[in-house]
Every structure is written in C-alpha cells, then in structure tokens.
Amino acid sequence: MAKKSKPQSVGQTKAWKSLKSWKRSFKPDLSDPKRAELFNIKTEFAYFDYSRQLIDQKAVKALIKLAEESGLKQKIEAMFAGEKINATEGRAVLHIALRNLSGAPILVDGRDVMPEVKAVLQKIKDFSEQVVDGKRTGFTGKRFKNIVAIGIGGSYLGPEYLAEACRPYALPGMTLRFVANVDGTDFIQKTIDLNAEETLFIIISKTFTTAETMKNAETAKQWIQNKLGKHPDIIKKHFVAVSTAREKVEAFGIDPENMFGFWDWVGGRFSATSAVGGVPLSLYLGFDNFQEILRGANWMDQHFLTTPFDKNLAVLPALLDILNINFFGFKTRALLPYSQGLSKLAAHTQQVEMESNGKRVDINGKNLKYDTGEVVFGEPGTNGQHSFYQLIHQGTQIIPCDFIGFIESQYPLGESSRQEVTHHEELNTNLLAQPDALTFGKQDKEAHKNFPGLRPSSTLLLKGLDPFTAGLLLAWTEHRAATKGFIWGINSFDQFGVELGKKLGVRQRERILRFHQTGKIDTEGLNPSTSILLNALLQKKLPE
Amino acid sequence: MAKKSKPQSVGQTKAWKSLKSWKRSFKPDLSDPKRAELFNIKTEFAYFDYSRQLIDQKAVKALIKLAEESGLKQKIEAMFAGEKINATEGRAVLHIALRNLSGAPILVDGRDVMPEVKAVLQKIKDFSEQVVDGKRTGFTGKRFKNIVAIGIGGSYLGPEYLAEACRPYALPGMTLRFVANVDGTDFIQKTIDLNAEETLFIIISKTFTTAETMKNAETAKQWIQNKLGKHPDIIKKHFVAVSTAREKVEAFGIDPENMFGFWDWVGGRFSATSAVGGVPLSLYLGFDNFQEILRGANWMDQHFLTTPFDKNLAVLPALLDILNINFFGFKTRALLPYSQGLSKLAAHTQQVEMESNGKRVDINGKNLKYDTGEVVFGEPGTNGQHSFYQLIHQGTQIIPCDFIGFIESQYPLGESSRQEVTHHEELNTNLLAQPDALTFGKQDKEAHKNFPGLRPSSTLLLKGLDPFTAGLLLAWTEHRAATKGFIWGINSFDQFGVELGKKLGVRQRERILRFHQTGKIDTEGLNPSTSILLNALLQKKLPE
C-alpha cells in the first residue's frame, strides 16, 4: 500500500500491473457453462449477470485487489462520514444524507446535518400536500395542475429521469414539465398550452445565478404577469425556488418561505434526491412516492457501503468499466434499458459519469497516465436495436453494453395466451436475445452475415420499475461513477471543465450588449473564426 | 488507381499512406489567423467552419486525394444514376429520387422510377389535404386532430426528427405522436389522453411484419375497437399504411386505397422523405411544408453531386471524420446543435451513421484492417454544457465536436436592448464560446483548472431552422455517412448486423409460447446465463 505522505497512483499498484499482464495472455472463451453461476450478484431487489464480460476468475480477483490497493473502502467510508473528499472545493459529498432514513447523525464540521435534511423534507411534505389538497392555490384560487420546473444540468436531468420512470404514479390531472434550454423554443413549447392560473413554476438554481435558468425564470415571470397581471402576490403564489441564495430569491419576488434549501455538500448531478428533485416530484407523484424514491436510493446506499466488493452491485460494474476502459481500451459504453420508462436514464447517466469522471488530473493535480471516464450513450430497447445496434454487433470498435430489464411491466398490455405473447413478453424476448448474439456471434459463409461475438455485456434484472427501483437505479448510477473516480484517484465531485466556456460566453454577451448600445461589432481579441461567426449572427447574414 | 478486376482497398492508397506519415510529423497549431479563411465552405444556405480541426493545408489536400483515389466521384454518380450499389441486397439506393424535383428520369432496371414517385406524392397531397380540410373524417364524422404514427427505426427516427424540427409549422390543433417501442408504456402513454374519434393511425412497415410495429398496430386496432366498436369501416377510416406489402395491409383491415407505397431502393434509415415521413408530416405540417423539406433535401443532393470535394458540405465533413477516426483514433463524435428544435437530430444521426457504417467487412466481404463508423451522441446546446461537456473539455479522451447554430430563432423571445440580450442571443454566446474554449484551452497554475485545448470541432451555421433547412440537414446527414462508406469501401446500405438478434428473439418468443401452452419452461440449448434470466422472467421472480 502507498505511504501516507505520497499516495500511490493506481497505475503503480501491483494489481494494475497484474491486470496488464493478465490482459496480454487472456484468450476470451465465454462458453464455459459455469460462468453464469460464477459471475453474478444476487440481491433482494436486483440480479446482476456479468458472465458475458471478457473476464475470468483471475481477472475478477485482480480487479477486487485493485479496489483494495486503491483504498476504495476507506474512500467510500470517508464519503459516508462527511469528510471533505471534494478537495478542490473543500466540500463534503453527502447526497447519501438526503436519504439517510435511519436519521443517524452525519457530521460536517462537527455539526450533524440530519436535522436540516429532515426539516427540508418536512417542508417539502407540507408544501406538496397543501398544493395537492388544494389548500394552496394560484392567485385566482384555482388548483395547480401544471408544474413547470426551470433548471438545467443537475437541476434537470436527475429529476426528469425520475419523473419519466415514475410517470404511471403521477397524481391524476397533474402534469410536470421541465424547461432547461435557454433556446426560447424550450420555454414556449412547454408552456404554450398551459393555463397560467393553474401553473406553478419551480426555479431551481443553487446560486440563483445560472444564466439559462435565470433567463427562463425572468421569461416565466413575464409570461404569468402578462396573463394574470402585476400584483406582487402573483409571483409569490406561482413561483417557488430551490436554492441556497435567499437574497436573490427574495429579490426575484419569491416569498422566502417558499424557498427550499440544500447544501454545499450536494453537488448538482447528485442532487436529485434533495429538494431539487423533491419539490417537483412530490408535487407530481405525491410525497409518499418521493419517499419511496428515497427508500430505494437508501437501500442502494447501504448495499454500496456494507457489501463486499465481489458482491457489490455498484463496485463490481465499476471495476468492469475500468477493465474495459483501461485494459481493453473500450472507452464508450452503451446503456440499454429495456423499458420505455427509462428513456431519460442515459441522458442523466451521461452527466453523472462524464461530468464526474471526465478528468485528466488526479486529486493531487498530477496529469494522469491512464484513461478515465467513458462516453455513455443509449436509447431504450427495443428502439436502439433498429438504430445503432448494427455497429455494436458488426462494427470495428467494441462497445460494452449494459442491459437493464424488468420482470414486470409498468403497463401490462396484450394477451398472454397459447398463441400470443404480451407486449412485455415480446420486449423481453429481445432482452434475452441480444446478449446472446453479442457473446456468441455466428459464423456464416457470407462475410456480411458474420457476427464475431465476444462483445462484452452485463445484464441487470429488477422486479419492476417503480419509485423504489427508480431511486435504487439513481443511486446505482451515482455510486458506480464515484467508485471509478475513487479508484482512478481523481475528484469526481468538481466540474471545473465547464468554467472556461462559461467565462468566454459572458464576454460574448458583453460584446452583444455593446453592439446593442453602439451598433458596432467589436471583434477585438477574437480569433478570425469566431469573429466571422459573431459578425454573421449580429448582421443576421451568412458569411459571403 | 485500382484495376477493375481487383479493387484497391483505401488503406492501400497513396493518400492513406501519406496521411499516415503526415500524422506522424504533424504538430497542431490552431493559432494562425489565416485558418478561418482557409478552412471554410460558403454556400447560399449554410456556412461551414472547419478551421478548428487538427489539420493543415497538406492534410486537406491528402484527404481530397484520398476521396479521389477511392473513386468517390464515380460512386456518388453511380448512386444518383440508380446503379445497384447495395450489392449484398442487389438494390439501387435512390432516396435522392424522392426529392428529385426536376422530375428528370432515373432508371432502375431500365425503367424510370419518377412517375411512381410523383404518383405517391400526389396521393399523399390529396389524402392529407382531404384530412386537413375535414373532407376525410373519422368513423363518427369528427375531424382528425391526432395523428399517431406507429413504426420503429427508420420508420420512426427520421420523421420524428423532422416533426420536432418543424414543430412551429404544425397546423393549428393538430398533434403528431410516434409509437415505436414494443414496451406497452409507449403505446399507453402516447394514447392515454386521445379521443379515438379524432385519431388517425399510420402503420409504417415496409414488409408489414416488423415485430414491434405489428404488435403496436394490433393494440391500436383493439384500442379503437374498444372505443368505437367493431364495424369494419372503423379500421378503414382510422388506419392507413405506409408499406409495400399490399396483401398484409389488406388482411389487417386497411383499405388498400389508403396504402402509400415505397420501393426496395429506399432503405429504412433513408426513408424520411418517402411516404414514411411524407404521410405523417403532411398531415401534421401540411403538404406544402413537406414539400419544403423535399426542396431543402434536394438542394443538398444537388450540392453533394455537383460541388468539388473541397467545397462540398457533405464530403468535407466526412473526410474530417475519417481523419479523426482512422488517423487520430478519435472514434466517438459529439453532435451539438444549439437549437432545441434539433433535439432529435442526434438520435436520427445515430441510426444513419452507426447502422450505415458499423461494418467490419468491405464490399467484397473482406475483413477490414482499419476502423469504420464512429459512435455519435449528443444533446442540444446549452443542455449538454451542463452535462457531458466536462469530459469533452478536460477528459482523457478526445471527442471531435460538431456545432450547429442558427442566425434566427424559431421563436424570438426576450428583449434585445441596451441592457438585455434575447434568449437566442444568450444561446449563441455559448455557440461562440465553446469552440474557442476547446481549441485554445487555458493554462492555470491550479491543475484542475487547466484546459489543454487542441480539441477539434467544426461549426455549421444556417440562417434559421425551418422545413427547408430541416430537409437540408437530413440530406447532409445522409450524404456525410454515405461518403464515408464509399471511401472505406463498405456497403453503407445494408444492415445484416440486426438479423441475428432478431432470429434469437423469435426463438425466445417460441419458448414463451410453449410455456403458455405447457406451463413448462424449456431452456434446452440455452446457455445457463440466458436460462437463468428466462426462468426469472417466466416465474416472475428474481434468481435466488
């Protein structure tokens, strides 16, 4: 193990070297019938089959060893204990506190955070129940039927994934829409058919300064004022905020009583179980269903913390990702849920994985000598089969696949008879077939009908998609990404890579404002390529 | 050039070798101010800036040479001339005929296809106008207000992309929804709020045997019969088909008069401008707007066919893709439209690129020694900036980026004043900023704030997003993918990689039916991993 003074890079560990040498001599053979029993994880709520990965028992042992040598256990415990593992920002990483249903104290700077967590949850409960019961209404006294959540990135993708996954549980007559993009198309198309009297806006921004969100919030304010008038109570009744910036929230016109807080130890992409998801989801699904989401996430949290690595649903897939990325060079992963309800899981996972682990320096600021975060993409099955699967089956690059399936359907449809299968059964014929096609391939005398096989995949099987399992999958996604970051020795909890673009964007806004003020286009300091584009945009004319 | 008898592989050409040696000595420097003028394409409808790619003039010349040596010009002309370039299936590839607005003859097997193309277009026009004018109604005499298009893959992604891109042009009161996934969730959630009397179903399947589509079609039939009764005219009035399988369409109960044909020379993923897109889009947008889509696609077709490679909007990006894939090893590409209206472009492009070029044998059936199709993924800007851009800016792998921007907004929103920018201006500050951040990066004494720069991107700028430019972008996507396939010497027009999974799926369906018939689970011949999953699904219980 590394000395305390100079932590060892994972690339220097014994396990890393033994994986390198294992890879050189490994001849994949996935035909051994014992693999299914050797390479699976059984738990109460999910079954994980990884027998189709390019592994043998030696590789799995080396991966577990890698986790141990990189200090994974201590790092996980440090996270759960509220240590400031987000070192660049000096913050704890405690999304697990948001669903710490036992209420056991978690200390940050010597202070238990749980009372505040509980207080915000209670506030969400009270508020959402008042809205749902019709005790809290719009300015004209009408019940709220439309919830419009304005937020972007972490204030959008996680809640949207959960809302979509839990749509069968929506309260009757309640709609929830998300406005994220600053492109006016997003706001207009999402509000065009809404009755303002029945519409509640939730403005979600930690700092209340996120450019896109504040632009959309201002537009929402004008939209409602155009329809209902300028009485200050209109904003107070029709707007709430999820934020930590009380003054800015008040200045916007929102009653600070209707501000739901969170904390610097909740990162954006890990905030779906905070008020960021809690407020919109409790209004849309009812507070009880939001609590089910928390319960599912909490189950995965406890599993992650307490289960040995070789039976750990979050750690083991992360180790397989590392094997695929660092030892096989497979740097893109397909996420293939056989469930329309998970249609937004890939977009959310993209943020969690690619923002967390798209890093090129380690936690000490040293340039890494090995690859980190993979690209994640995906569409629900069977849709993807009729699109990009061709490349996965017969392309020149190998894309490890994560299949996710469910025993029960969200909406049973069709007949299960001697001659007929249900929609869900038909769906699952594909879930069964695709991994086999990838693993075993098929030889054909016509070359274009050859399938090489040996294309790695895993399958995660759950009972059904409901608020509990949606929460479980959320935490699964979070912990899988964090595990990789812990092993790679990077900070998975900051995102400085988005800052430069933001800063340059602000300068472009200043140029546009100067153009409004002076009629002159200032391109000084811009490179000619950007200068040509800016000219085209301001003169509203393509370059000639 | 290669001899006729034994075509040369592109990997054996002089240009390929000179690109290999160019790459070895190339030191990227993107700071030369001349680059913006050297590396762009100006056309009436689109401006393409590729000055931020990792190229110099020598590389561009070698790429053009590569195109020439691989016989690109002849291959493009062969496609336009109706030759059977889809050799494995013995078919012509003539989606360009669908928008051949000049009507000039195109011969397949010595017969002009244009009269049939025009006849189907006329039929789409007549039918859609009758529906829109209320002359053709539902069974109870009510006007159709809801169009539900049932199709998957190529019968879904292209039309959905176009519908979303053209949504501001939708006819008042008309909705268009797509049901693709066999997961019952898709059908139920898309129809739950529709009045059957006002709902028209379009069943889109070339063979009328696509498993998912026929399952959803049968469910649609039951849905409408449950609501309106069993009179045979109900199916005749509420269902139309886009298909070539007249008998099956009739057997379903659809009036063959309401069947819109297409041809074996239109591949699924290239079918959006056939009746596959024509019927739903003409009902949703009006026939004139569908014709505008055809005009935009036709403009790009003509540009593609007649413009020298170095000024060709489709060829040049394809050559840059090849440079990135085969010479730099960047095998994933991000598609980043700064337009919410293009929110479905990435999903459509995934199919066009990854199904067309996810191939590992050349057109003669030989295993390739170089990489082909890239993974494409993306989300509309600015959403992606708050998600996966972190990896693009600071990750260890390099992802070439395609930015797409517009001078005009689809929905002008917000004020353009001395103190304020509009939503569209705010959006475009990001379009301007991101490529600069990627190209030039930023040094910082804190390592986690370092941006390495030299991350390649291109920017395509158009006037506005409307039916014409949506069609233009559709054809751009098609021809860019085809160009790569032509140069790699593969067949971009078949998709045998989807067959094995389909076949295995059918066998699983048979097993499920046998279970319904006998109550016994037959796992004979299955590998244990699949056997465990099948048991779990049929016993409705997670493995223990």
Side-chain angles (χ1 to χ4, degrees):
Chain A
M1 294 287 294
K3 288 180 213 154
K4 273 250 154 156
S5 55
K6 201 194 166 207
Q8 191 182 21
S9 151
V10 70
Q12 303 298 320
T13 57
K14 265 199 208 168
W16 189 276
K17 286 168 199 160
S18 73
L19 279 161
K20 280 274 174 208
S21 93
W22 168 85
K23 165 65 176 64
R24 275 193 294 273
S25 61
F26 176 62
K27 298 268 175 294
D29 170 11
L30 307 186
S31 64
D32 182 351
K34 289 198 212 86
R35 293 179 69 85
E37 275 307 333
L38 280 173
F39 303 121
N40 75 54
I41 297 176
K42 292 181 181 124
T43 71
E44 189 184 351
F45 294 108
Y47 174 76
F48 183 66
D49 176 335
Y50 60 103
S51 66
R52 298 158 187 288
Q53 293 285 342
L54 302 181
I55 49 164
D56 56 18
Q57 285 177 278
K58 205 172 156 188
V60 175
K61 270 187 199 139
L63 287 168
I64 302 293
K65 192 93 186 121
L66 187 74
E68 288 165 2
E69 288 185 24
S70 64
L72 178 61
K73 194 164 169 52
Q74 300 87 306
K75 289 175 182 172
I76 294 172
E77 286 169 356
M79 180 171 91
F80 277 73
E83 289 183 30
K84 298 197 171 170
I85 60 171
N86 176 356
T88 52
E89 301 181 299
R91 293 178 184 165
V93 176
L94 275 180
H95 42 286
I96 57 102
L98 303 167
R99 55 256 185 163
N100 172 23
L101 300 175
S102 79
I106 300 176
L107 304 182
V108 174
D109 291 325
R111 223 162 54 89
D112 183 10
V113 301
M114 289 312 300
E116 284 183 62
V117 170
K118 283 184 215 161
V120 172
L121 257 184
Q122 185 63 44
K123 192 166 166 178
I124 294 172
K125 182 175 191 287
D126 295 344
F127 177 80
S128 61
E129 286 175 355
Q130 284 166 14
V131 170
V132 169
D133 295 346
K135 292 181 187 146
R136 184 183 283 259
T137 66
F139 181 68
T140 62
K142 287 208 175 174
R143 275 180 183 238
F144 288 119
K145 286 170 55 179
N146 315 308
I147 312 300
V148 179
I150 296 180
I152 195 164
S155 302
Y156 156 52
L157 293 163
E160 189 191 41
Y161 146 68
L162 290 167
E164 205 54 35
C166 301
R167 204 155 122 191
Y169 298 83
L171 296 170
M174 196 66 103
T175 68
L176 171 60
R177 295 182 188 175
F178 294 90
V179 175
N181 203 335
V182 73
D183 183 347
T185 303
D186 205 15
F187 182 86
I188 290 194
Q189 292 185 340
K190 298 281 170 59
T191 54
I192 201 160
D193 59 343
L194 300 184
N195 179 348
E197 294 176 82
E198 301 169 338
T199 300
L200 176 68
F201 288 96
I202 310 169
I203 314 301
I204 309 174
S205 169
K206 194 186 269 192
T207 58
F208 235 59
T209 59
T210 312
E212 291 91 338
T213 301
M214 295 327 294
K215 193 90 192 158
N216 278 319
E218 287 295 340
T219 295
K221 190 195 268 186
Q222 279 176 28
W223 181 86
I224 213 148
Q225 287 178 336
N226 287 343
K227 309 222 171 197
L228 304 182
K230 304 248 172 184
H231 195 292
D233 282 358
I234 291 171
I235 304 304
K236 287 201 167 54
K237 294 233 176 200
H238 287 264
F239 283 74
V240 304
V242 179
S243 181
T244 57
R246 194 186 164 100
E247 277 179 31
K248 292 205 174 70
V249 167
E250 236 178 312
F252 183 90
I254 292 174
D255 183 347
E257 281 302 299
N258 296 333
M259 181 182 111
F260 300 84
F262 54 125
W263 307 274
D264 75 351
W265 41 261
V266 180
R269 58 193 171 278
F270 299 100
S271 68
T273 49
S274 74
V276 167
V279 178
L281 294 169
S282 296
L283 291 166
Y284 181 52
L285 307 170
F287 183 75
D288 289 350
N289 279 319
F290 178 62
Q291 270 208 314
E292 274 300 297
I293 292 171
L294 298 183
R295 280 195 198 102
N298 177 248
W299 181 86
M300 182 56 82
D301 294 344
Q302 292 307 311
H303 171 90
F304 177 53
L305 178 66
T306 61
T307 310
F309 296 158
D310 63 337
K311 293 292 167 199
N312 195 307
L313 284 170
V315 171
L316 205 85
L319 290 171
L320 295 167
D321 292 340
I322 287 176
L323 184 75
N324 284 325
I325 295 163
N326 296 115
F327 299 92
F328 285 101
F330 307 151
K331 294 183 268 186
T332 300
R333 176 162 64 91
L335 185 61
L336 308 170
Y338 277 64
S339 168
Q340 189 64 20
L342 296 184
S343 59
K344 299 293 179 183
L345 180 61
H348 172 59
T349 305
Q350 268 177 349
Q351 186 188 25
V352 172
E353 288 280 2
M354 296 171 71
E355 193 160 272
S356 298
N357 292 335
K359 306 286 163 70
R360 51 190 287 285
V361 298
D362 71 14
I363 200 122
N364 305 304
K366 271 202 166 168
N367 282 344
L368 294 169
K369 295 204 172 100
Y370 43 85
D371 273 308
T372 55
E374 73 269 31
V375 172
V376 178
F377 77 102
E379 291 286 339
T382 60
N383 292 3
Q385 288 176 207
H386 295 261
S387 168
F388 53 80
Y389 277 38
Q390 164 71 39
L391 184 145
I392 294 178
H393 284 292
Q394 286 192 321
T396 51
Q397 56 175 314
I398 292 185
I399 315 285
C401 295
D402 272 298
F403 294 95
I404 301 178
F406 294 92
I407 290 175
E408 307 275 3
S409 169
Q410 284 196 311
Y411 295 96
L413 186 63
E415 239 185 297
S416 183
S417 71
R418 296 175 67 88
Q419 279 77 39
E420 274 187 277
V421 296
T422 63
H423 279 252
H424 194 64
E425 286 170 334
E426 179 70 26
L427 177 70
N428 279 338
T429 62
N430 295 279
L431 175 73
L432 292 166
Q434 292 296 328
D436 271 346
L438 289 169
T439 309
F440 299 111
K442 182 182 139 256
Q443 290 304 305
D444 196 292
K445 55 183 189 297
E446 291 178 277
H448 57 274
K449 293 181 180 169
N450 264 343
F451 292 75
L454 295 178
R455 303 201 159 201
S457 68
S458 299
T459 302
L460 183 72
L461 185 69
L462 299 104
K463 195 98 201 282
L465 179 57
D466 54 32
F468 183 92
T469 50
L472 183 158
L473 287 170
L474 182 91
W476 180 65
T477 303
E478 294 168 348
H479 299 326
R480 180 179 185 165
T483 296
K484 279 178 269 188
F486 288 146
I487 293 176
W488 281 322
I490 61 178
N491 184 352
S492 296
F493 308 105
D494 64 11
Q495 56 283 321
F496 288 96
V498 305
E499 293 305 323
L500 178 58
K502 244 190 239 177
K503 197 179 292 178
L504 298 179
V506 169
R507 287 192 211 141
Q508 294 294 354
R509 195 193 301 143
E510 288 161 3
R511 282 175 208 269
I512 295 175
L513 286 173
R514 281 203 294 282
F515 173 73
H516 292 177
Q517 291 154 12
T518 66
K520 281 182 202 141
I521 301 176
D522 166 20
T523 59
E524 208 184 298
L526 287 184
N527 81 80
S529 166
T530 313
S531 171
I532 290 169
L533 292 170
L534 179 65
N535 267 288
L537 292 171
L538 293 180
Q539 296 176 354
K540 297 190 182 297
K541 222 173 95 191
L542 287 174
E544 276 167 9
Chain B
M1 294 286 294
K3 289 182 213 153
K4 273 249 154 156
S5 54
K6 201 194 165 206
Q8 192 182 20
S9 151
V10 70
Q12 302 298 319
T13 58
K14 266 199 209 167
W16 189 277
K17 286 167 200 159
S18 73
L19 280 161
K20 279 275 174 208
S21 93
W22 168 83
K23 164 66 176 65
R24 274 192 295 273
S25 61
F26 176 62
K27 298 268 174 296
D29 170 11
L30 306 186
S31 65
D32 182 351
K34 291 198 212 85
R35 293 180 67 86
E37 275 308 332
L38 280 173
F39 303 121
N40 75 54
I41 297 176
K42 293 180 179 123
T43 72
E44 189 183 350
F45 295 108
Y47 174 76
F48 183 67
D49 177 335
Y50 61 101
S51 67
R52 298 159 186 287
Q53 294 285 341
L54 302 181
I55 49 164
D56 56 19
Q57 286 177 279
K58 204 172 156 190
V60 175
K61 270 188 200 141
L63 287 168
I64 303 291
K65 192 92 184 120
L66 187 75
E68 288 164 2
E69 289 185 22
S70 63
L72 178 61
K73 193 164 170 52
Q74 299 89 305
K75 288 175 182 172
I76 295 172
E77 285 169 357
M79 179 171 91
F80 276 74
E83 288 183 30
K84 297 197 170 169
I85 61 172
N86 176 356
T88 52
E89 301 182 298
R91 292 178 184 164
V93 176
L94 274 180
H95 42 285
I96 58 102
L98 303 166
R99 53 256 186 162
N100 172 23
L101 300 174
S102 79
I106 300 177
L107 304 184
V108 175
D109 291 325
R111 224 161 54 89
D112 183 10
V113 302
M114 289 312 300
E116 284 182 62
V117 169
K118 283 183 214 161
V120 172
L121 257 186
Q122 185 62 44
K123 192 167 164 178
I124 294 171
K125 182 175 192 287
D126 294 344
F127 177 81
S128 60
E129 286 176 355
Q130 285 166 14
V131 170
V132 169
D133 295 346
K135 290 181 189 148
R136 185 183 282 258
T137 65
F139 181 69
T140 62
K142 286 209 175 172
R143 277 182 181 235
F144 288 120
K145 285 169 56 180
N146 315 308
I147 313 298
V148 179
I150 297 181
I152 194 164
S155 301
Y156 157 52
L157 293 163
E160 187 191 44
Y161 147 67
L162 289 167
E164 204 54 35
C166 302
R167 204 155 123 189
Y169 299 82
L171 296 170
M174 196 66 102
T175 68
L176 171 59
R177 295 182 187 174
F178 294 90
V179 175
N181 202 336
V182 73
D183 183 347
T185 303
D186 206 13
F187 182 86
I188 290 193
Q189 291 185 341
K190 298 282 170 57
T191 55
I192 201 159
D193 58 344
L194 299 185
N195 178 349
E197 295 175 82
E198 301 169 338
T199 301
L200 177 68
F201 288 97
I202 310 170
I203 313 300
I204 309 175
S205 168
K206 195 187 269 192
T207 58
F208 235 61
T209 60
T210 312
E212 291 90 339
T213 301
M214 295 326 296
K215 193 90 193 159
N216 278 319
E218 288 295 341
T219 295
K221 191 196 267 188
Q222 280 175 27
W223 181 85
I224 212 149
Q225 287 177 336
N226 286 344
K227 309 220 172 198
L228 304 182
K230 303 250 170 182
H231 195 292
D233 282 0
I234 291 170
I235 305 304
K236 287 200 167 55
K237 294 233 177 200
H238 287 264
F239 282 75
V240 303
V242 179
S243 181
T244 57
R246 192 185 166 101
E247 277 178 33
K248 291 205 174 72
V249 167
E250 235 178 313
F252 183 89
I254 292 174
D255 182 349
E257 282 303 298
N258 295 334
M259 181 181 110
F260 300 84
F262 54 125
W263 307 274
D264 74 352
W265 42 261
V266 180
R269 58 194 171 276
F270 299 100
S271 68
T273 50
S274 74
V276 167
V279 178
L281 294 169
S282 295
L283 292 166
Y284 181 52
L285 307 169
F287 183 76
D288 288 351
N289 278 320
F290 178 62
Q291 270 208 314
E292 274 300 296
I293 291 171
L294 297 183
R295 279 194 199 102
N298 178 249
W299 181 85
M300 181 56 81
D301 295 343
Q302 292 306 310
H303 171 89
F304 177 53
L305 178 66
T306 61
T307 310
F309 296 158
D310 63 336
K311 292 292 168 201
N312 195 307
L313 284 171
V315 171
L316 206 87
L319 290 170
L320 295 167
D321 292 340
I322 287 175
L323 185 76
N324 284 326
I325 295 163
N326 296 116
F327 300 93
F328 285 102
F330 307 151
K331 293 184 268 185
T332 299
R333 175 162 66 90
L335 186 61
L336 308 169
Y338 278 64
S339 167
Q340 189 65 18
L342 296 184
S343 59
K344 298 293 179 182
L345 180 60
H348 172 60
T349 305
Q350 269 178 348
Q351 186 188 25
V352 172
E353 289 280 2
M354 295 172 72
E355 192 160 271
S356 298
N357 293 335
K359 306 285 163 71
R360 51 190 289 283
V361 297
D362 71 14
I363 198 127
N364 305 303
K366 272 202 166 168
N367 283 344
L368 294 169
K369 296 205 171 99
Y370 43 84
D371 273 308
T372 54
E374 73 269 32
V375 172
V376 178
F377 77 101
E379 293 284 339
T382 59
N383 292 3
Q385 286 175 209
H386 294 262
S387 168
F388 52 80
Y389 278 38
Q390 164 71 39
L391 184 146
I392 294 178
H393 283 292
Q394 285 191 323
T396 51
Q397 57 174 314
I398 292 184
I399 314 285
C401 295
D402 271 298
F403 294 95
I404 301 179
F406 294 92
I407 290 176
E408 306 275 3
S409 170
Q410 284 197 311
Y411 296 95
L413 187 63
E415 237 184 300
S416 183
S417 71
R418 295 175 68 88
Q419 279 77 39
E420 274 188 277
V421 296
T422 64
H423 279 252
H424 193 66
E425 285 170 334
E426 178 70 25
L427 177 69
N428 280 336
T429 62
N430 295 279
L431 174 73
L432 293 165
Q434 291 295 328
D436 270 346
L438 289 170
T439 308
F440 299 110
K442 184 184 137 256
Q443 291 303 306
D444 197 292
K445 54 183 191 297
E446 290 178 278
H448 57 275
K449 294 182 180 168
N450 265 343
F451 291 75
L454 296 178
R455 303 202 159 200
S457 69
S458 298
T459 303
L460 183 72
L461 184 70
L462 299 104
K463 197 100 201 285
L465 179 57
D466 54 32
F468 183 92
T469 51
L472 183 157
L473 287 170
L474 182 90
W476 181 65
T477 303
E478 293 167 348
H479 299 326
R480 179 179 185 166
T483 296
K484 278 178 269 187
F486 288 147
I487 293 175
W488 282 322
I490 61 178
N491 185 354
S492 297
F493 308 105
D494 63 11
Q495 56 282 323
F496 288 97
V498 305
E499 293 305 322
L500 179 58
K502 243 189 239 179
K503 198 179 291 177
L504 297 178
V506 169
R507 287 193 211 141
Q508 295 293 354
R509 195 193 301 143
E510 288 161 4
R511 281 176 209 269
I512 295 175
L513 285 174
R514 280 203 295 283
F515 173 72
H516 292 176
Q517 290 154 12
T518 66
K520 281 182 202 140
I521 301 176
D522 165 19
T523 59
E524 207 184 301
L526 287 185
N527 81 78
S529 165
T530 313
S531 172
I532 290 169
L533 292 170
L534 179 65
N535 266 288
L537 292 171
L538 293 180
Q539 295 176 351
K540 297 190 183 296
K541 219 173 96 191
L542 287 174
E544 275 167 9

